[in-house]
Amino acid sequence: MIAWANFTPVPAFVGGLLIGVAAAMLILLNGRIAGVSGILGRLLQSWGKESAWSVVFVLGLVLAPWFYSLAAPLPEAQIEAGHARLIIAGLLVGIGTRLASGCTSGHGVCGLSRLSLRSLAATITFMLAGIVTVSVVRHLLA
């Protein structure tokens, strides 16, 4: 069921536009792909010449909700899963990210915009896995 009361096309469009502009700026100004898992992974593995912009990038991700809250109230988060399920889900996402050599931002946003066939295959796999998971959890296990 779609919760039409929560359908917000204008904020979704603006958010998508900002993600696209940020990804374009990073590749045009820095020559780097805005793959969040890769940026965070490199930052956690070693401190090197690329660490400064990586720290700024990650800080931007962390601080963005705070800046947004200055203009409008943050939507209330409703998480129906327990801690164990969230931890397992996070680990599975991390494993999938390593297997796919990138995350949804790297493949779905940046890779598709570069017409990468590998990113197309990865994004289709992400989407199908998500559809199957939601179908199984909501319809078969419920």
Side-chain angles (χ1 to χ4, degrees):
M1 257 324 286
I2 296 175
W4 290 107
N6 297 324
F7 180 61
T8 56
V10 174
F13 175 78
V14 172
L17 187 64
L18 289 172
I19 290 169
V21 168
M25 285 176 56
L26 187 60
I27 198 162
L28 291 172
L29 300 176
N30 203 14
R32 303 297 298 182
I33 299 296
V36 176
S37 63
I39 293 169
L40 185 59
R42 279 189 302 280
L43 189 60
L44 294 175
Q45 286 177 351
S46 65
W47 192 264
K49 64 179 183 174
E50 298 208 0
S51 297
W53 74 263
S54 299
V55 168
V56 172
F57 185 90
V58 172
L59 277 175
L61 293 175
V62 173
L63 294 176
W66 179 75
F67 282 115
Y68 180 89
S69 72
L70 297 175
L74 290 172
E76 183 178 328
Q78 294 179 347
I79 301 172
E80 298 174 9
H83 287 79
R85 186 178 281 183
L86 291 174
I87 290 169
I88 291 168
L91 290 172
L92 288 173
V93 168
I95 291 167
T97 297
R98 291 304 261 180
L99 290 174
S101 296
C103 58
T104 53
S105 57
H107 285 300
V109 176
C110 299
L112 291 180
S113 66
R114 293 181 303 117
L115 304 177
S116 166
L117 291 178
R118 186 177 103 176
S119 291
L120 177 62
T123 304
I124 289 170
T125 303
F126 297 155
M127 295 302 293
L128 287 176
I131 291 166
V132 169
T133 301
V134 168
S135 296
V136 167
V137 169
R138 290 214 174 152
H139 301 295
L140 293 179
L141 299 179

